[in-house]
Every structure is written in structure tokens, then in C-alpha cells.
């Protein structure tokens, strides 16, 4: 299998495993993920390049990244460059996906606000 295709397929598997119920779709030549089909809460996308694959996070600047995998300097977007399926399988990559998924979840109406009040 082509190494780039293998990275993409591995990332798709990891994304599906760590974002249960996410809507996967192709948009602008990338595999995108959002909360659900009708949602405007976009989470991340996978895009192929000649020698690597980028896993882009729409709100990556908000993610905890102790391993310093995330690249980019924009106000909100960050990405990880992945060259091999083994790199894609790193626990840190799955953790970034889990964090992005958790951040996209709506806050329940009966949750206390930031001050602990309803």
C-alpha cells in the first residue's frame, strides 16, 4: 500500500475510534469531521500532501500538547504532520483527537456556568 494512503486510513480508523458518532465527509479534497451532519461544530480534517499527511484541528490552539506535536501560529488552527502509519498510531495523536472531540461537545443546558451557578 502507498505510505500516504496507509497514513490516511490509519488516521481515519483512529478518528472513528476516538470520536464516536462524528460525521465524516469529504470537503475541499480533505476528510473532515464534525459533531454530526447538521452541526456547525467542525473538529478536524485529514489532508494528503506529497510526503506526509496533515491532521488539522480547527481549534487546535485550545488543545493541551505536552509532546509539542502541534504546529502553526494562527489564532485557532493547529496541525500535526504525519509521515508514517506508525506515527499516526502514537497515543499522543489519539489524545489530541479525543480532546478536540470533547471540546466540540455542547454544554448541557443544566450544567453550572463557570462560577458554579446555573
Amino acid at each position: 500500500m502507498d505510505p500516504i494512503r496507509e497514513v490516511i486510513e490509519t488516521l481515519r480508523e483512529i478518528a472513528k475510534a476516538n470520536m464516536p458518532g462524528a460525521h465524516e465527509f469529504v470537503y475541499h479534497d480533505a476528510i473532515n469531521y464534525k459533531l454530526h451532519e447538521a452541526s456547525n461544530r467542525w473538529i478536524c480534517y485529514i489532508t494528503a500532501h506529497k510526503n506526509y499527511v496533515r491532521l488539522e484541528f480547527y481549534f487546535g490552539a485550545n488543545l493541551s500538547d505536552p509532546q509539542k506535536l502541534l504546529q502553526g501560529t494562527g489564532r485557532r488552527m493547529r496541525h500535526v504532520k504525519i509521515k508514517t502509519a506508525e506515527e499516526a498510531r502514537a497515543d499522543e495523536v489519539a489524545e489530541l483527537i479525543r480532546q478536540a472531540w470533547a471540546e466540540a461537545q455542547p454544554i448541557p443546558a443544566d450544567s453550572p456556568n463557570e462560577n458554579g451557578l446555573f
Side-chain angles (χ1 to χ4, degrees):
M1 180 185 283
D2 170 38
I4 298 301
R5 171 170 246 137
E6 186 178 7
V7 172
I8 291 169
E9 290 302 318
T10 301
L11 285 173
R12 286 184 69 209
E13 290 171 16
I14 293 166
K16 290 176 186 179
N18 289 284
M19 295 188 294
H23 178 62
E24 179 187 65
F25 61 103
V26 175
Y27 182 72
H28 287 290
D29 296 327
I31 301 168
N32 287 261
Y33 296 90
K34 61 182 182 175
L35 197 55
H36 53 77
E37 187 171 0
S39 174
N40 63 357
R41 293 180 187 244
W42 294 47
I43 301 163
C44 63
Y45 63 93
I46 300 166
T47 183
H49 295 266
K50 185 176 181 177
N51 297 314
Y52 61 90
V53 174
R54 279 183 21 176
L55 174 61
E56 299 265 358
F57 294 96
Y58 287 100
F59 296 94
N62 299 338
L63 302 177
S64 173
D65 181 26
Q67 301 298 321
K68 307 290 185 217
L69 297 179
L70 293 171
Q71 298 177 18
T73 58
R75 284 188 353 170
R76 62 181 180 93
M77 291 193 73
R78 297 289 184 274
H79 67 273
V80 178
K81 287 183 181 177
I82 301 171
K83 296 180 180 177
T84 67
E86 187 171 317
E87 287 178 12
R89 289 187 200 97
D91 291 338
E92 296 82 8
V93 171
E95 176 57 27
L96 291 170
I97 293 170
R98 281 191 293 275
Q99 282 184 60
W101 176 247
E103 276 216 3
Q105 301 305 309
I107 298 170
D110 62 349
S111 290
N113 67 19
E114 61 200 28
N115 299 320
L117 305 173
F118 285 95

